[in-house]
Amino acid sequence: MATNRTWGMGIAVLAALTMAPSAMAGAEEKPAADAPQVKPVSFDTQVRPIFQAHCQGCHQPAKAGGGYVMTAFDRLLSGGESEVAAVVPKDLDASFLIEQITPEDGKAAMPKDKPPLSLPEIETIRLWIAQGAVDDTPLAAKARYDQEHPPVYTRPTVITALDYSPDGQLLAVGGFHEILLWKADGS
């Protein structure tokens, strides 16, 4: 009889231990009834596409309208000729960009001479700023390749194209993010 009681007690303890973590996990996952759960807004997948579609045509290095560039994250935050910060993380009132894109009487200052952004687009940008204006762009997408920042190769690159100049003096070699020009005589 003592053996049955010991087994019964052991099974009860085992059942309590195995069920306790799942019961505790369920309790942790339930949000407070009065706290709204807001999903973080992604700059890379939600905000950047809005800027690309409506803003970056006029606010890029080649054509920086108002001295404002929106293609580089640091310049997106800093602003342009007005010298007023365009985006101040967690401060909508201090973010000049919000003032520029918010319509009054159906018209907004930006995008200039175009229809204003839709209310969901404006709300996405507002929420992103209110949440801290975080740049969640993957590191691979941030890599810059230009004359001052050439790629560094760990192994030979794949050659995607070869072509001679019309006069036969140069050979163009297309690879990863670059085209190299070589003299055809090998010098």
Side-chain angles (χ1 to χ4, degrees):
M1 188 73 112
T3 306
N4 284 342
R5 228 182 261 154
T6 304
W7 270 96
M9 185 68 99
I11 291 173
V13 169
L14 183 59
L17 288 174
T18 56
M19 294 184 79
S22 62
M24 291 172 69
E28 290 174 11
E29 291 175 16
K30 292 180 183 175
D34 58 352
Q37 294 298 315
V38 178
K39 192 174 178 184
V41 175
S42 168
F43 173 75
D44 189 51
T45 61
Q46 293 174 274
V47 177
R48 181 193 318 269
I50 296 169
F51 292 158
Q52 286 173 331
H54 300 285
C55 310
Q56 291 179 355
C58 295
H59 298 286
Q60 54 158 309
K63 182 182 178 184
Y68 185 43
V69 175
M70 297 179 78
T71 56
F73 191 79
D74 58 332
R75 294 183 71 184
L76 168 72
L77 299 180
S78 64
E81 291 173 354
S82 68
E83 297 184 10
V84 176
V87 175
V88 179
K90 297 186 179 181
D91 190 349
L92 292 171
D93 293 332
S95 296
F96 188 56
L97 177 67
I98 296 299
E99 181 181 321
Q100 293 293 296
I101 64 171
T102 302
E104 289 182 23
D105 300 325
K107 292 196 167 225
M110 292 293 154
K112 192 171 185 175
D113 300 325
K114 293 186 179 175
L117 300 178
S118 69
L119 292 179
E121 289 171 328
I122 294 170
E123 189 54 34
T124 298
I125 295 168
R126 289 177 59 83
L127 190 55
W128 170 69
I129 293 172
Q131 291 175 349
V134 175
D135 181 8
D136 63 347
T137 306
L139 289 177
K142 290 182 181 181
R144 288 184 61 183
Y145 298 109
D146 56 24
Q147 191 169 359
E148 288 80 32
H149 306 95
V152 177
Y153 302 112
T154 58
R155 56 183 81 118
T157 62
V158 174
I159 296 175
T160 57
L162 292 171
D163 199 7
Y164 278 100
S165 63
D167 64 2
Q169 298 297 312
L170 295 174
L171 174 65
V173 180
F176 183 69
H177 293 287
E178 65 185 354
I179 298 172
L180 300 175
L181 297 176
W182 297 92
K183 289 189 177 180
D185 64 4
S187 63

